[in-house]
């Protein structure tokens, strides 16, 4: 079993839809959870990062962590064509906010159609 | 957040040759890392670049194949040695300040003929 599992998609939604992206993991030592957005031919861009269980909201984006289920989610409200990208979840067991080894999912490719 | 620049952005190389990739950060950072991103695979950590000492390599990656330097707090290089077609990949540099999450450069797209 891989440490982090993420459905690669592709996922195609109409503009304005609510998008739900998910990852599961097996290592209970993970403490920091991140979502990166990667546009074609660009590097991963940090979107959200959270510590332990709970919700974090930033504009149209909400990150959720459920450590008891080893499950994390990213919700995108009112999705826009500019949200079309690959979304990577990443996790770290580091005690310092993910500043050490990150373990990534394979990424989910999202297309938002106008 | 720090701005991370990588050079070259892409290259096409002959098998058996070596290529050095440079990573420059616009501010002093605590940690620098090198990752590999292969098609259909997860981003995978190659090594942590330690300032003033030998890099720390992950399982499956060795210093002879991927020598790394980090002479100061803003610069690191990764060399891909004796390249074969299996080394065709995107190589990414990341950096983080103390207690901060990692930020990435745009990567180096490497093709081996």
């Amino acid at each position: 079993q891989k440490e982090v599992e993420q459905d690669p998609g592709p996922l195609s939604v109409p503009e304005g839809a609510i998008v739900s992206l998910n990852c599961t993991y097996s290592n209970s030592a993970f403490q920091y959870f991140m979502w990166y957005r990667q546009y074609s031919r660009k590097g991963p861009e940090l979107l959200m990062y959270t510590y332990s269980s709970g919700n974090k909201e930033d504009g149209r984006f909400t990150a959720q962590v459920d450590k008891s289920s080893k499950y994390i989610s990213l919700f995108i409200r009112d999705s826009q064509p500019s949200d079309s990208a690959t979304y990577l979840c990443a996790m770290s067991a580091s005690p310092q906010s993910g500043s050490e080894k990150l373990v990534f999912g394979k990424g989910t490719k999202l297309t938002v159609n106008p | 957040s720090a701005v991370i620049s990588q050079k070259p952005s892409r290259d096409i190389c002959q098998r058996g040759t070596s290529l050095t990739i440079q990573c420059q950060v616009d501010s002093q950072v605590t940690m620098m890392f090198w990752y590999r991103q292969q098609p259909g695979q997860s981003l995978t950590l190659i090594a942590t670049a330690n300032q003033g000492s030998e890099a720390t390599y992950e399982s499956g990656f060795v210093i002879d194949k991927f020598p790394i330097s980090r002479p100061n707090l803003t610069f690191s290089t990764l060399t891909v040695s004796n390249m074969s077609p299996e080394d065709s990949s995107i190589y990414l540099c990341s950096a983080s300040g103390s207690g901060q999450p990692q930020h990435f450069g745009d990567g180096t797209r490497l093709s081996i003929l």
Side-chain angles (χ1 to χ4, degrees), chain B residues 67-83:
Chain B
I68 288 170
S69 78
R70 188 179 172 193
N72 56 50
L73 292 175
T74 63
F75 186 79
S76 178
T77 66
L78 168 75
T79 299
V80 186
S81 302
N82 188 25
M83 290 183 285

Side-chain angles (χ1 to χ4, degrees), chain B residues 5 38 45-46 48 54 67 69 80 92 103:
Chain B
S5 302
Q38 296 182 306
L45 180 65
I46 297 172
T48 302
E54 193 170 287
S69 78
V80 186
L92 290 151
H103 295 272

Side-chain angles (χ1 to χ4, degrees), chain A residues 36 38 41 43 97 99-100, chain B residues 33 37 58 99 102 105-106 109:
Chain A
Y36 287 85
Q38 187 172 25
R41 301 195 172 277
S97 182
S99 59
E100 293 181 15
Chain B
F33 306 88
Q37 188 173 32
E58 295 298 308
Q102 292 176 38
D106 280 340
R109 284 152 183 78

Side-chain angles (χ1 to χ4, degrees), chain A residues 67-85:
Chain A
K67 290 190 74 178
S68 63
S69 301
K70 295 189 178 68
Y71 187 87
I72 71 169
S73 301
L74 177 70
F75 296 95
I76 306 174
R77 291 183 299 279
D78 187 25
S79 56
Q80 303 295 310
S82 57
D83 295 327
S84 299

Side-chain angles (χ1 to χ4, degrees), chain A residues 2 4 34 36 38 40-44 46 49 88 96-106, chain B residues 10 31 33 35 37 40-43 45 58 92 96-106 109:
Chain A
K2 282 190 169 295
V4 179
M34 282 138 278
Y36 287 85
Q38 187 172 25
S40 179
R41 301 195 172 277
K42 291 290 190 179
L46 181 66
Y49 79 101
L88 308 170
Q96 290 193 67
S97 182
S99 59
E100 293 181 15
K101 176 180 179 178
L102 294 180
V103 181
F104 282 84
K106 286 189 176 181
Chain B
R10 62 187 308 157
M31 310 289 287
F33 306 88
Y35 288 82
Q37 188 173 32
Q41 301 299 315
S42 306
L43 239 157
L45 180 65
E58 295 298 308
L92 290 151
S96 66
S98 177
Q100 298 298 314
Q102 292 176 38
H103 295 272
F104 286 80
D106 280 340
R109 284 152 183 78

